[in-house]
Amino acid sequence: MSRVHTANEAGITAAVDALRRGQLIGLPTETVYGLAADIANEAALREIFRVKGRPSEHPLIVHIADISQLDGMASYVSPACRALVDHCWPGPLTVVVTAAPHVSRVATGGLDTVAVRLPSAGAAQEVIKRLGNAVAAPSANRFGRVSPTTAQHVVHDLGDDVALVLDDGPCEIGVESTIVDCTKPQPEILRPGSITPEDVRRILATTDVDLADGISGPSRASGMLARHYAPLANLVLHEQQATVPPDGSPVVDCATDPIAAAHDLYANLRHLDALGHRIVHVIMPRPEGVGFALRDRLKKAATAL
Ligand code: TXA
Ligand code: MG
């Protein structure tokens, strides 16, 4: 009766069958849960945009199960891109490359570039392998809201619009993948994640890595919109515990243990929303390690409309 299937043999079989029928599924990855469709089914890809309430020009990430599939998606893979995927895949890195002609322009939002990621999560890999096709998947939340990190979050957000949710427990990392635009001579980080700018610079043995900080142009990541990842409560950001007023509002500490804070952040924000809190204080992590991505998400979640 339930649409939530444990990510065991039977659950994975059911998930692959649903994708083959052209349905959308909730797919666990190491970052957040995705809303996945078979890349070969354009009607299903269009349905992702409808369900998310996502503008059709906002491209999706194409998820693959084997590094060799990148060459099938890309018309060119730069040496820098090759170095990044060799180091980081499978894992929370998305690369933007020039799209091969056959890649669906529904998935790319009409762009001639495509975002590709090879997740480390076993369930995601298994589903993609058995399907025999890549799957396109944005985060499985309504557009602009907080990403889901459990199967229950997906059901809560998308209700009957998702045919099946594969449940593999809470996501290991809890913030979305690092996106690196590899289409230009100098790679640019469009969205920080648990793979940090320092990691990217070290892998490429160069300091010539741009870090996007604004919003412009159609090829920009939707996570670059000023307000995104937003809970209902107003977040008040503090660099120090000392500035948190004793006003009785809840406090989310992201400074003491940023890795644990990233793992729990979206679940915490959802929980505090469900309790009806209007104001939530957040103690910011230092801008290092996953703290870099946390600061990015928190600033976007805090920006007033
Ligand atoms: O960790 C993740 O990346 C998760 C899991 C499910 O894999 N996915 C995710 O997808 O966060 P989504 O749609 O919420 O964010 C994908 C981002 C968007 O901001 C989109 O604009 C950007 O990737 N993107 C996709 N294709 C792009 C392209 N060709 N050029 C620039 N940005 C692109
Ligand atoms: Mg998203």
Side-chain angles (χ1 to χ4, degrees):
M1 138 94 210
S2 170
R3 284 166 300 127
V4 177
H5 291 241
T6 303
N8 54 21
E9 176 65 30
I12 285 170
T13 302
V16 172
D17 288 347
L19 289 169
R20 288 214 174 100
R21 284 195 297 271
Q23 293 178 313
L24 306 186
I25 66 159
L27 183 69
T29 83
E30 70 278 20
T31 55
V32 301
Y33 275 70
L35 178 64
D38 182 346
I39 188 80
N41 187 328
E42 287 208 331
L45 297 178
R46 285 201 183 83
E47 184 67 1
I48 290 180
F49 289 90
R50 188 192 69 75
V51 165
K52 277 206 64 147
R54 181 176 177 122
S56 61
E57 71 276 13
H58 280 283
L60 309 176
I61 295 178
V62 177
H63 295 65
I64 58 177
D66 188 282
I67 200 163
S68 64
Q69 287 175 282
L70 174 64
D71 293 294
M73 298 285 160
S75 63
Y76 173 67
V77 176
S78 69
C81 183
R82 194 71 70 187
L84 286 171
V85 302
D86 282 346
H87 271 86
C88 302
W89 280 0
L93 172 77
T94 297
V95 291
V96 176
V97 293
T98 312
H102 68 84
V103 173
S104 166
R105 269 27 181 194
V106 177
T108 70
L111 298 173
D112 289 329
T113 58
V114 61
V116 185
R117 151 161 149 74
L118 170 47
S120 61
Q125 283 192 13
E126 201 54 37
V127 166
I128 299 163
K129 260 186 217 146
R130 292 206 202 171
L131 179 67
N133 284 336
V135 302
S139 52
N141 52 288
R142 307 263 181 213
F143 189 64
R145 312 304 309 188
V146 173
S147 291
T149 53
T150 67
Q152 290 68 37
H153 294 163
V154 180
V155 171
H156 174 268
D157 284 12
L158 302 182
D160 290 340
D161 281 336
V162 58
L164 176 153
V165 182
L166 206 51
D167 185 353
D168 204 17
C171 299
E172 183 191 332
I173 296 172
V175 292
E176 305 81 352
S177 62
T178 304
I179 305 180
V180 183
D181 183 350
C182 296
T183 61
K184 295 171 295 179
Q186 188 166 315
E188 182 180 18
I189 299 173
L190 299 181
R191 180 176 73 183
S194 62
I195 293 170
T196 65
E198 302 80 51
D199 294 332
V200 172
R201 293 191 181 108
R202 189 172 31 77
I203 293 163
L204 299 180
T206 174
T207 52
D208 278 354
V209 176
D210 285 340
L211 186 60
D213 57 0
I215 321 135
S216 60
S219 75
R220 299 312 203 167
S222 60
M224 294 172 70
L225 296 174
R227 184 174 168 90
H228 209 74
Y229 312 109
L232 301 174
N234 280 311
L235 299 188
V236 184
L237 308 183
H238 301 267
E239 293 297 336
Q240 320 273 346
Q241 168 120 40
T243 63
V244 177
D247 61 2
S249 300
V251 180
V252 178
D253 175 6
C254 294
T256 306
D257 183 347
I259 292 176
H263 182 269
D264 296 341
L265 179 68
Y266 293 145
N268 278 337
L269 294 180
R270 284 164 177 273
H271 179 63
L272 295 172
D273 272 350
L275 295 178
H277 288 286
R278 295 296 182 80
I279 292 182
V280 173
H281 296 290
V282 180
I283 306 172
M284 296 289 265
R286 291 166 53 81
E288 57 191 30
V290 76
F292 207 87
L294 276 173
R295 293 179 66 89
D296 169 76
R297 304 304 190 275
L298 288 164
K299 284 180 183 168
K300 278 164 186 147
T303 303
L305 280 170

